[in-house]
Amino acid sequence: MSKDNVKIRDLIGKELLFSDGAMGTLLQAEGLKGGEIPETWNILRPEVLIDIHTRYLNAGSNIITANTFGCNKYKLEHSGYDLDTLTSSGIKLVREAIEKFEQESDSPFSKKPHFVALDIGPLGKLLKPIGNVSFDEAEAAYTEIVKAGTKAGADLLFFETFTDLYDLKAAIIAAKENSDLPIFVSVAPDENGRLLTGGDLEAYVALVEGLGVDVLGMNCGFGPKQFLKFLPVITKVCSTPIIVQPNAGLPKVVNGKTTFDVLPDEFAADELELIKGGVCIAGGCCGSTPEHILASVKLCESALPKVQTETPDEQCDYPKIAITPLEKKNLTVISSYTHAVYFGEKPLLIGERINPTGKKALKQALRDKDINYIINEAIAEEEAGSDILDVNVGLPEIDECEMMETAIEEITAISTLPLQIDTSDVKTMERALRIYNGKPLLNSVNGKQESMEAVLPLAKKYGATIVALTLDESGIPETADARVAIAEKIINKAKEYGIDKKDLIFDSLTMTVSTDINNAAITLEALKKIKETFGVNTVLGVSNVSFGLPLRSIMTSTFFTLAMENGLSAGIINPLDERLMAAYDSFLTLRGFDNQCLRYIEKYSEKSDPYTTQKSPTGQTGVNSNDMLQAMNTGHAVMSTGHANSGTDNMSGRTPLYTAVIKGMIDKAGIECKAMLSSGITPIEIIDNNLIPGLDTVGKSFEEKKTFLPQLLMSADAAKAAFDEIKKYYAENGTKGESKGTVVMATVKGDIHDIGKNIVKVLLENYDYTVIDLGKDVPPETIVDTVLEHKIKLVGLSALMTTTVVSMEETIKQLREKAPFCKVVVGGAVLTKEYADKIGADRYSPQAMDTVKYAKEIFGK
């Protein structure tokens, strides 16, 4: 087969491919100045780009990325350059370099197939609810880029260096809807294997595999040794071909220039280990050069076996390096923005309380658009031990689609649990699948032809795992075998849409025994047969079994235990029902999921016997949900970590305002603060006893990796809502709050990324510091002048690009000369403590809360 006819999809996962290395490092070496937009060189210095591309071709790279990483509307908005022009010129330069190399070079690498990658970086903005850009706006921005690159003739789309899974989801959807090109994605994790907004690597794999990308991987941030630690985490759960592009180590300053500490031979040796560990496309990121790539190619050619061809048609003029394909994983998984949840190991709990069926109070809350009621339910269910939250907001008299979108946004802002999207309305279903931040569980499809044709394409497009109900046009079958037959029909139909049975979870449908004493037995028989016949996971809404009977909790908990024993993978239950939870906890212990009974002992050692608890007026026993919600609203709750009583901070005796702050409940925080002020509590008491302790609690939890950036920022916004009420109080009473000190914040000259700076600004302001925000792309002179004018004691500088750290160094130099009294704290993805020390910073802040701590040291409060 001629290489001219080879498509990249023909080779992915079948032979070893090499991408290129750093672009910014080489552009800097050619004279790119701090503050210049690298993509403008596509027009201003095209000969430099052709030379760089050619050097990587000579090093053996198959995939050459266009100089288009920053081509988006947000990064180019003040540049004076057109996105389409920069993108098309970038693609054209790669194509020109490849054609000339293949036609004129006598290098053996000229016989290889080569491909042009449209390089697409993140927008540099946080998405709502923690940022200012909506999901739809992000998707529209990526659509512009994808259309421009596809039209210009790219061979593949490469979304790289992403740190936010929601941002990445918007990018992938834009790609799927506007191009047929292969989709490569790559994230830049931190030292703990997490992304900026809290997502771990398993959540990343779950999301992007569900969306159907062609290649996934990691790049930037670290040298190859760190990625060797992360790779097994990915390969354990991943079936998709993997790309890895490490930095050439960490940046250092030598004689005033930025260098990297991993030399080509060491880089190549580590790349070889990555390839042996499961990588099928290898390359480099910051600091890597053509020499690093060439060393890797040569080492792999000598150390790895070659692809054995079977027919003359398969012969080619270059050595194909063999790889070991990843084993396909048979995992049923969903995810939130922070973590993945797997079905099959032990029974999971799906909280059922956000569903208006039979719930008058929730129905009224939905009519009133009382989102705080829904948030309180979500918090209660999470703290009671739910693994997943069901979200159903369907009422005939409301706009279900609008309310579903609001509910998803608000719940994911305060909870890290994955959601089950529960709706029969196709419009609501698609909108929810689109804007959900993770891989959702979709409830549901059934055996009706109409249902399968409507639901399955949506589930395939958005990568959902689906609850499949064993009913069809004839209704719910009266026999277990008939329900099994419907399950088989759904499996076969799903396969036609490219959906594997691992992404189907079957509900054999719980019917009440009060109408037919055999209903429970039929359901359990069908459940067991479906699981054993097809090797799939199962789910039931267990409470239906006891409808119409007294003391329903007794019947329901017994049925729940029987269902788990018969192979139930997940139960949709009320987690505030103590009998149900006792049955669940006992089952886990008796079935060996609770090592040494530690979980059971911790949870029940100080509790009274729930079976002797006094009856409520309705005849129920156990914990009353309204009592639990009331306890939460008075501060008697625990900080959510996704598991009840697990490493949480006791908030007993704390006020509702404190609870609102640590939960990120913005509206409630403002209301509670206003009520406290009206009751005569002084602002300083509110701040010292509620707001600062609340922020400190969340900050500590963030540092301990128990909560993540979205929760941190939502808590900051909740505190801000309370502070706003205090400011109003001061204004109305002729006084004002005292600032603890003034801090200047800026993203340095040439850098247009302001995510980190904005996060630090929010936190500082909520600790009552005044922030002078100079914005992004700020010249050193502006920063120095501001410091001198206001006699500033502390400046915070941010840089996210290796091409702009030189501006940070220059800014610090000028501050030392003209304002030696001023301290400087620095942060950004490309920085290390060693680097910060070398450029003269007083403090390196790897986390936003560290800047707050340093401000306390500087100002003494």
Side-chain angles (χ1 to χ4, degrees):
M1 180 185 295
S2 168
K3 76 176 190 315
D4 296 332
N5 299 321
V6 175
K7 303 297 183 184
I8 186 88
R9 282 196 177 108
D10 298 332
L11 306 181
I12 296 170
K14 298 176 182 177
E15 63 180 83
L16 181 61
L17 301 175
F18 287 91
S19 61
D20 52 14
M23 174 61 71
T25 301
L26 272 61
L27 289 177
Q28 282 183 308
E30 293 292 335
L32 181 74
K33 298 177 181 178
E36 279 192 274
I37 297 174
E39 292 76 19
T40 61
W41 277 37
N42 294 345
I43 296 171
L44 302 175
R45 301 286 302 278
E47 73 285 355
V48 174
L49 272 302
I50 290 178
D51 178 65
I52 290 172
H53 296 324
T54 302
R55 289 171 61 190
Y56 279 120
L57 289 164
N58 272 305
S61 297
N62 301 90
I63 300 168
I64 306 297
T65 50
N67 182 35
T68 53
F69 179 83
C71 284
N72 70 64
K73 62 183 290 184
Y74 297 105
K75 293 181 179 179
L76 297 176
E77 58 184 342
H78 301 302
S79 70
Y81 285 87
D82 176 68
L83 182 151
D84 282 1
T85 301
L86 290 180
T87 301
S88 61
S89 60
I91 297 292
K92 179 181 177 182
L93 292 173
V94 178
R95 185 70 66 192
E96 184 179 335
I98 289 174
E99 290 177 355
K100 184 176 181 180
F101 177 72
E102 291 183 345
Q103 293 170 7
E104 300 179 6
S105 175
D106 58 1
S107 166
F109 299 142
S110 66
K111 308 299 182 182
K112 283 185 171 186
H114 299 102
F115 306 97
V116 183
L118 175 67
D119 194 24
I120 307 170
L123 298 178
K125 299 287 184 181
L126 285 172
L127 272 59
K128 294 180 179 178
I130 60 174
N132 298 317
V133 177
S134 71
F135 183 85
D136 291 336
E137 288 170 336
E139 188 271 330
Y142 287 117
T143 294
E144 285 186 87
I145 309 163
V146 167
K147 285 183 174 179
T150 303
K151 181 180 178 181
D155 296 313
L156 63 107
L157 309 173
F158 188 13
F159 299 95
E160 58 146 316
T161 325
F162 276 70
T163 58
D164 178 3
L165 292 181
Y166 205 29
D167 192 19
L168 182 56
K169 180 175 181 177
I172 294 170
I173 289 176
K176 292 179 68 172
E177 292 183 343
N178 296 282
S179 178
D180 293 325
L181 295 178
I183 301 172
F184 288 29
V185 299
S186 183
V187 295
D190 66 14
E191 67 276 9
N192 299 300
R194 286 193 177 272
L195 304 184
L196 175 68
T197 49
D200 65 19
L201 293 173
E202 292 187 20
Y204 161 54
V205 173
L207 172 67
V208 302
E209 280 200 333
L211 290 169
V213 303
D214 295 88
V215 174
L216 63 85
M218 304 174 286
N219 75 292
C220 204
F222 302 100
K225 284 184 171 57
Q226 186 67 38
F227 284 158
L228 281 168
K229 298 177 182 178
F230 294 154
L231 184 60
V233 178
I234 290 181
T235 56
K236 180 180 69 175
V237 296
C238 178
S239 304
T240 301
I242 297 172
I243 182 172
V244 173
Q245 297 174 301
N247 287 352
L250 297 173
K252 294 184 177 181
V253 178
V254 178
N255 298 324
K257 293 184 178 181
T258 302
T259 63
F260 290 78
D261 60 3
V262 177
L263 297 177
D265 287 347
E266 181 185 354
F267 185 89
D270 289 336
E271 287 263 83
L272 178 60
E273 294 306 310
L274 286 165
I275 292 161
K276 290 179 179 178
V279 169
C280 71
I281 304 176
C285 200
C286 300
S288 63
T289 64
E291 289 72 28
H292 288 81
I293 303 301
L294 180 59
S296 299
V297 173
K298 286 186 173 181
L299 180 61
C300 290
E301 283 189 347
S302 65
L304 297 174
K306 308 301 182 292
V307 174
Q308 298 299 315
T309 58
E310 297 181 0
T311 68
D313 291 341
E314 293 179 312
Q315 298 292 334
C316 66
D317 297 327
Y318 69 95
K320 296 183 179 181
I321 304 173
I323 58 170
T324 302
L326 286 178
E327 177 186 353
K328 293 293 182 182
K329 311 302 188 302
N330 186 34
L331 298 172
T332 301
V333 59
I334 63 173
S335 67
S336 67
Y337 72 90
T338 62
H339 68 283
V341 170
Y342 300 92
F343 290 78
E345 182 181 357
K346 68 175 184 179
L348 301 175
L349 299 181
I350 303 175
E352 69 178 8
R353 294 187 58 80
I354 307 175
N355 186 322
T357 304
K359 301 181 183 72
K360 292 182 180 180
L362 178 57
K363 287 180 179 179
Q364 192 58 48
L366 292 172
R367 295 186 190 103
D368 296 340
K369 296 185 178 181
D370 181 5
I371 198 66
N372 281 327
Y373 184 96
I374 296 173
I375 289 173
N376 281 332
E377 290 283 5
I379 292 172
E381 291 191 290
E382 180 170 6
E383 293 182 339
S386 297
D387 300 293
I388 302 160
L389 300 179
D390 179 75
V391 181
N392 183 323
V393 295
L395 283 182
E397 62 266 42
I398 70 169
D399 185 333
E400 183 184 357
C401 188
E402 179 184 350
M403 179 54 73
M404 177 66 83
E405 181 169 359
T406 300
I408 289 174
E409 289 176 348
E410 295 290 342
I411 291 170
T412 54
I414 56 91
S415 173
T416 63
L417 295 186
L419 301 185
Q420 174 174 265
I421 295 167
D422 190 352
T423 180
S424 59
D425 179 71
V426 175
K427 177 185 175 184
T428 301
M429 188 179 293
E430 175 155 26
R431 184 59 183 166
L433 291 172
R434 189 179 190 89
I435 59 99
Y436 173 66
N437 190 359
K439 180 181 181 181
L441 181 60
L442 176 60
N443 191 1
S444 58
V445 71
N446 60 57
K448 295 179 181 179
Q449 193 69 21
E450 180 184 16
S451 174
M452 292 188 290
E453 291 178 353
V455 175
L456 293 177
L458 292 179
K460 175 63 177 178
K461 177 178 179 179
Y462 295 106
T465 294
I466 318 159
V467 172
L469 309 181
T470 53
L471 62 86
D472 60 12
E473 287 82 358
S474 300
I476 301 174
E478 296 181 358
T479 68
D481 287 341
R483 297 184 197 185
V484 173
I486 293 174
E488 184 173 21
K489 178 171 69 172
I490 295 173
I491 289 171
N492 292 334
K493 191 67 175 179
K495 188 175 181 180
E496 294 178 15
Y497 287 96
I499 300 172
D500 192 274
K501 65 181 181 180
K502 69 182 176 62
D503 288 320
L504 298 171
I505 303 176
F506 285 89
D507 187 339
S508 57
L509 300 171
T510 305
M511 307 295 290
T512 179
V513 293
S514 64
T515 60
D516 186 334
I517 198 63
N518 295 311
N519 275 339
I522 294 170
T523 296
L524 294 175
E525 181 186 358
L527 174 80
K528 187 173 183 179
K529 283 186 174 182
I530 289 170
K531 189 175 187 72
E532 292 178 350
T533 302
F534 305 115
V536 294
N537 286 287
T538 58
V539 64
L540 285 176
V542 299
S543 62
N544 289 344
V545 74
S546 60
F547 186 78
L549 297 174
L551 289 173
R552 292 182 60 191
S553 184
I554 296 175
M555 180 72 70
T556 302
S557 60
T558 304
F559 176 71
F560 186 28
T561 301
L562 290 171
M564 289 188 287
E565 187 63 20
N566 278 275
L568 184 66
S569 305
I572 303 174
I573 71 163
N574 174 10
L576 306 188
D577 185 321
E578 193 163 291
R579 283 189 184 274
L580 277 174
M581 292 304 294
Y584 177 71
D585 295 330
S586 299
F587 180 86
L588 293 186
T589 302
L590 294 170
R591 275 302 185 188
F593 294 110
D594 183 8
N595 188 34
Q596 296 182 323
C597 306
L598 294 178
R599 181 179 185 275
Y600 187 90
I601 292 170
E602 179 183 8
K603 188 170 182 180
Y604 292 102
S605 61
E606 297 182 4
K607 286 192 176 184
S608 59
D609 187 347
Y611 292 92
T612 61
T613 303
Q614 185 177 356
K615 293 180 181 179
S616 69
T618 61
Q620 294 281 354
T621 61
V623 176
N624 180 282
S625 61
N626 291 327
D627 291 341
M628 177 169 278
L629 292 175
Q630 180 63 33
M632 286 175 47
N633 290 332
T634 57
H636 297 281
V638 291
M639 186 170 180
S640 173
T641 62
H643 302 278
N645 299 321
S646 175
T648 56
D649 292 327
N650 189 351
M651 301 192 316
S652 179
R654 296 291 189 176
T655 66
L657 176 56
Y658 174 91
T659 303
V661 169
I662 72 163
K663 292 297 181 184
M665 301 169 73
I666 299 170
D667 292 340
K668 184 175 178 60
I671 293 169
E672 294 295 343
C673 183
K674 186 175 182 179
M676 292 174 78
L677 290 167
S678 298
S679 71
I681 300 174
T682 65
I684 193 63
E685 288 178 298
I686 293 173
I687 293 170
D688 288 347
N689 298 331
N690 296 272
L691 300 183
I692 296 303
L695 287 170
D696 285 344
T697 297
V698 177
K700 180 181 179 182
S701 181
F702 177 73
E703 290 176 348
E704 294 173 350
K705 306 298 180 182
K706 293 179 181 177
T707 57
F708 305 102
L709 182 62
Q711 297 154 292
L712 181 70
L713 293 182
M714 293 300 291
S715 291
D717 284 342
K720 183 178 183 299
F723 276 116
D724 286 343
E725 292 298 329
I726 291 173
K727 290 176 184 177
K728 291 179 186 177
Y729 176 88
Y730 281 133
E732 292 169 358
N733 290 275
T735 59
K736 65 177 182 178
E738 181 183 354
S739 170
K740 294 179 179 177
T742 302
V743 182
V744 166
M745 295 294 302
T747 300
V748 298
K749 176 66 177 174
D751 206 314
I752 55 175
H753 300 85
D754 58 2
I755 290 177
K757 172 185 66 64
N758 291 342
I759 292 169
V760 174
K761 175 187 174 183
V762 169
L763 295 176
L764 285 169
E765 287 179 336
N766 281 284
Y767 275 84
D768 218 14
Y769 295 98
T770 300
V771 177
I772 300 176
D773 184 0
L774 298 179
K776 55 192 177 184
D777 190 19
V778 184
E781 295 76 16
T782 302
I783 297 170
V784 172
D785 289 346
T786 304
V787 167
L788 292 173
E789 179 183 354
H790 297 279
K791 299 293 188 294
I792 300 298
K793 291 183 178 181
L794 179 61
V795 168
L797 301 178
S798 173
L800 200 66
M801 301 163 60
T802 56
T803 54
T804 58
V805 290
V806 291
S807 296
M808 181 179 284
E809 183 178 11
E810 176 60 25
T811 301
I812 294 173
K813 179 182 177 182
Q814 291 193 25
L815 285 169
R816 292 288 176 258
E817 293 174 354
K818 300 179 181 179
F821 55 84
C822 180
K823 300 293 184 180
V824 181
V825 56
V826 299
V830 297
L831 296 178
T832 63
K833 185 179 187 306
E834 181 184 24
Y835 192 95
D837 291 341
K838 287 191 175 182
I839 63 176
D842 296 291
R843 180 77 160 238
Y844 165 59
S845 178
Q847 300 288 349
M849 281 301 299
D850 191 67
T851 302
V852 176
K853 289 181 179 179
Y854 190 51
K856 291 179 179 179
E857 294 177 20
I858 297 300
F859 295 102
K861 53 185 175 179

